[in-house]
Structure formats: structure tokens, C-alpha cells
Amino acid sequence: MAFINENYQKLQAGYLFPEIARRVNTYAEKNKDKKIIRMGIGDVTRPLAPAVVAAFHEGVDEMSKEATFKGYGPEQGYAFLRDAIAKNEFQDRGINISADEIFVSDGSKCDTGNILEIFGMNNKIAVQDPVYPVYVDTSVMGGRTGNAIGNGHYENLVYMPCTKENGFVPQIPNEKVDIIFLCYPNNPSGATVSKAELQKWVDYALKNKSIILFDAAYEAFIKEDGIPHSIFEIEGARKCAIEFRSFSKVAGFTGTRCAYIIIPNELKAYTQSGDAIDVKPLWSRRHSTKFNGVSYPVQKAAAAMYTPEGKKQVTEVIDFYMENAKIMKESLQSLGFEVFGGVNAPYVWLRTKNGMKSWELFDLLLEKVQVVGTPGSGFGPAGEGYFRFSAFASRESVLEAMKRLKDAGI
Ligand SMILES: *Cc1c(COP(=O)(O)O)cnc(C)c1O
């Protein structure tokens, strides 16, 4: 008899996006004449930058000739890409990270989901609420949680509420936690964390020998000075943090796939008997056993983001999205909404009016103005009463959506 991993049965139905699709499709069926504007899912819409595309083509051409053909590449990623990342993302900003601490992968979703594999089963894991669902669901799959409890939480995970009252930066939990997922700039709230606040987390982790798993997928959208782009800007972080970065949002790689993880050489975790063990070799072992590298043309394309033209083109696209965010933020504010995010992240996070529930606002917007966003409660109970709009849309859609809201007096 073959047995299943029963942890999968603890998973609650992948509720949010399928439910959004269901409601939108039901509405669309009944209202074929209505044009629906979708600003819900966090997927980019602009094409790859020309410099990236040119390098992508070159990579394919190299694969077509015997002299330049490449088979399996280095599992950790080609040195040309890791060197470019180390220099441009870290060293040029004065951050001490070297190419040998970088592991290239096919996505931060996979990395944030896989990383727990190298850590023991008795770690107490803390997540933000609302949260990117991957950290939670992969903890469940790995048997690191108990069952789902009524409010959308799982037993044995520590949830850290992020609300307007705490500026969407959680308090340090009262109970001791060993592994802490933090995402800044944050999806879904669009919030950032200051250096001083992040320092508190690093100090906590150092004191408790905990590890912070820092998801910086939206780092490139930071516009204001003084906000940390990397947790490794914080003193002591090399001893207590792993960072996740992705080309998905910064360079439109959601369909092309390339990301990386940074594990500093100093990072240690412990055996049950208290021996300190280097973490990087564990991940290296895992990565090289279960992964055979990102395709060569894709790595070449990713590295082209760091050429002078690549940088300029990628920045233009980010600026375009952030202008969308600004338009949305200002329009929604003028309609009387309390609005967060949208300044250093491509998400605008609004508070519903008059205590309306997130899904009630979703239905209202769909039915009255045919604008689709994402209900905050779908990211966790602390997201109830909030609503997310994504700036990854065409300018036309953004302007039209905001006009519809205004005309309808929403
Ligand atoms: C989009 C996103 C990522 C990137 O995932 P990829 O698998 O690299 O496309 C990572 N973390 C968060 C919070 C995201 O929203």
C-alpha cells in the first residue's frame, strides 16, 4: 500500500485566487457586455527589457553551435551571474556579500518553500499576518504545523499581526521563535521596515540563535532613501539571516524564472546537542542534489539587467509601475480611503470604509464598477478590512479603474 503525506490533508483549499476567479467568472458569464479591469494578481505585465531580450537571444544562439554549446551548468549558478549580482546588488551599495554566498535558482517561491528542508522539525516558525501564502503552506506540507484552526491559522505556527496600528511591522513575539519569515517591502501591505526596526529583529535573532528568512522580492521598488534594501545592511545580520531575491518583479521574469538566495558564510544553526553547524554547506548539498541549475540563456538574460542599458531599461519599467501606484494611491485617498503602501512597493493597500469586510468590498467593486482587486482577508485574518490593488497594470486600466470608482461614488 502506498501512503500519502497526510500533512497535505491539513491544507485548506488554495482559497484566495481560485475564489477570486470563481466570482469574476460567474459575474462575467452573466454580464457579457461589461469590461472587467483586473488589478488583483501580483503578476507583471510589461515585456522584458530589450537588453535582457538581446542577451536571451545570444544565449540561445550559443546553445545552437558546437563550439559554444553548454550542457549542465554549475548548480549554484554561473559565476558571471553571481559576480554581477554580488557587485551590483550588494558591494556597490557597501554591503558585504560575495559571489560564493549566492545560489541561483528558478524562483523565490521555490526557495522560500524549500529552505525549511535543511532545518529541524522542532523549530518554532513565525510568520507575518497577512502573509505571502507560500511560507505557511510549505510549513504545513513539511509537517511543521498542526491542523488548521477556524480563523485560517494553523496550530503551532506563530502569527505576527501586521496592521495599521503597528505600521505593518510586527511586534517581536512573546514566545521564543526559531525561524522568522519577514517580507519587506511587504506583499500584500506594501509597507517597508526601517533600519532601526529591522535591527531589533536582528538583535532578537542573535540573542536567541534564531534565523530570519528575509524575502526582498520587491527591493527594487524602494524609492525613498534610508530604507534597507537588504537585511545585510543591518549589523549582525550575516550571523542570523538568509535573504531571498528574485528577478521576477524587478525585471519581469515571472514567466522567465530566475532568482537567488544569499546565505552568509558565518551563518550557523544548531544540532539537538547544541553543536553549531554552518548552514551554507547544508543548502549547497540540498541545492546540488535536488537542482541542476537555471538554463544558461535565462542566466545570461538575467545578467544583462546589470549592463548600463539593462539597468536603465529596468528602472524605466519600475518607474512606470510606481507611477501607476502613485495614481492609485492619490485617487483612492481623494475618494476618502485610508491608503497604505504604493510608495516603495507596487501594491496599494487600503482600509475599507465603515468597517466593511474585505470580500464585501470585492463584491461591491466587481458588481458596481467591474474592478477586481484582492481581499486583504485572503492573506490572513489580520488582513480583514483591507484590500490590495496591484500596480502591475497598464496605465489605461489604472486610469479607467480609478475613474469608475470616482464616478460611482465609491
Ligand atoms: C512575487 C513574489 C516572489 C517571487 O517569486 P518567484 O518564484 O521568484 O517568481 C517572492 N516573494 C513574494 C512575497 C512575492 O510576492
Side-chain angles (χ1 to χ4, degrees):
M1 200 184 324
F3 300 100
I4 63 157
N5 174 353
E6 291 187 28
N7 293 311
Y8 278 65
Q9 292 187 307
K10 295 178 192 161
L11 289 168
Q12 295 171 295
Y15 181 65
L16 181 58
F17 291 103
E19 179 61 17
I20 291 174
R22 193 188 66 76
R23 292 193 196 201
V24 172
N25 293 340
T26 307
Y27 178 85
E29 278 292 299
K30 292 200 193 118
N31 300 277
K32 294 214 158 70
D33 55 318
K34 295 279 201 314
K35 189 174 164 279
I36 297 171
I37 302 178
R38 290 164 210 265
M39 302 210 298
I41 294 182
D43 194 359
V44 296
T45 52
R46 306 287 298 169
L48 295 175
V52 168
V53 174
F56 210 167
H57 279 297
E58 261 173 48
V60 173
D61 288 342
E62 285 176 56
M63 296 303 256
S64 73
K65 296 180 198 107
E66 199 168 344
T68 49
F69 169 79
K70 291 177 178 56
Y72 291 126
E75 288 107 343
Q76 197 173 338
Y78 281 100
F80 68 79
L81 178 57
R82 288 185 295 110
D83 288 341
I85 292 168
K87 177 176 186 305
N88 290 280
E89 301 284 357
F90 299 99
Q91 293 156 8
D92 285 358
R93 286 181 188 275
I95 306 170
N96 172 20
I97 291 294
S98 58
D100 70 298
E101 297 171 312
I102 296 169
F103 295 80
V104 176
S105 78
D106 59 350
S108 283
K109 185 189 243 187
C110 325
D111 287 338
T112 53
N114 289 330
I115 193 74
L116 291 176
E117 216 183 289
I118 61 169
F119 294 110
M121 295 299 288
N122 53 347
N123 284 298
K124 193 69 147 180
I125 300 171
V127 295
Q128 293 169 272
D129 172 12
V131 66
Y132 180 57
V134 177
Y135 321 142
V136 174
D137 287 359
T138 56
S139 299
V140 176
M141 291 170 174
R144 293 160 190 279
T145 72
N147 291 314
I149 43 183
N151 63 354
H153 282 174
Y154 290 89
E155 292 163 346
N156 203 31
L157 271 189
V158 175
Y159 290 87
M160 308 182 292
C162 297
T163 59
K164 65 174 186 162
E165 285 73 25
N166 59 21
F168 308 97
V169 178
Q171 254 77 68
I172 298 214
N174 296 326
E175 61 190 297
K176 193 171 168 299
V177 292
D178 308 299
I179 291 182
I180 303 148
F181 279 100
L182 290 179
C183 174
Y184 287 103
N186 186 258
N187 177 12
S189 72
T192 52
V193 65
S194 70
K195 278 190 182 159
E197 283 165 315
L198 198 49
Q199 185 73 60
K200 286 187 205 158
W201 283 96
V202 167
D203 292 345
Y204 172 88
L206 291 172
K207 186 162 152 251
N208 292 284
K209 299 193 161 86
S210 312
I211 290 182
I212 299 170
L213 301 177
F214 193 75
D215 185 344
Y218 296 95
E219 163 280 328
F221 294 82
I222 295 174
K223 290 275 161 228
E224 292 179 321
D225 292 337
I227 295 169
H229 286 245
S230 164
I231 195 167
F232 299 116
E233 289 178 42
I234 308 299
E235 201 177 327
R238 286 183 57 87
K239 288 202 167 83
C240 67
I242 291 175
E243 183 161 299
F244 302 88
R245 294 278 192 105
S246 173
F247 291 92
S248 282
K249 311 296 162 44
V250 54
F253 270 54
T254 54
T256 303
R257 312 305 302 144
C258 197
Y260 53 97
I261 182 170
I262 301 118
I263 307 187
N265 289 322
E266 291 95 308
L267 186 70
K268 301 216 190 301
Y270 299 84
T271 63
Q272 294 302 315
S273 49
D275 297 332
I277 305 290
D278 287 331
V279 172
K280 197 185 99 174
L282 296 183
W283 182 253
S284 178
R285 188 74 172 82
R286 190 257 167 224
H287 198 66
S288 55
T289 301
K290 294 200 177 184
F291 189 64
N292 250 336
V294 172
S295 96
Y296 172 72
V298 168
Q299 292 192 57
K300 241 191 111 105
M305 195 193 105
Y306 298 116
T307 59
E309 321 81 74
K311 278 186 190 168
K312 187 166 158 285
Q313 293 161 0
V314 162
T315 305
E316 278 165 11
V317 175
I318 289 174
D319 289 347
F320 170 82
Y321 289 136
M322 291 313 290
E323 181 65 20
N324 282 349
K326 183 163 179 267
I327 293 169
M328 286 195 282
K329 186 167 180 130
E330 285 170 3
S331 313
L332 292 162
Q333 277 169 336
S334 75
L335 298 178
F337 284 104
E338 207 177 343
V339 189
F340 308 93
V343 178
N344 298 296
Y347 297 117
V348 170
W349 184 243
L350 59 90
R351 185 92 181 124
T352 61
K353 292 182 195 169
N354 307 319
M356 194 184 257
K357 299 264 191 236
S358 301
W359 278 109
E360 286 179 72
L361 181 59
F362 177 90
D363 289 334
L364 177 81
L365 292 178
L366 177 60
E367 277 153 34
K368 263 195 144 171
V369 291
Q370 297 81 49
V371 172
V372 179
T374 314
S377 57
F379 297 100
E384 182 59 273
Y386 293 90
F387 200 81
R388 191 189 78 176
F389 280 122
S390 158
F392 295 128
S394 69
R395 183 63 43 80
E396 206 188 352
S397 299
V398 168
L399 293 172
E400 171 68 16
M402 293 303 121
K403 181 174 180 303
R404 288 189 194 175
L405 261 70
K406 184 164 187 242
D407 292 350
I410 282 172

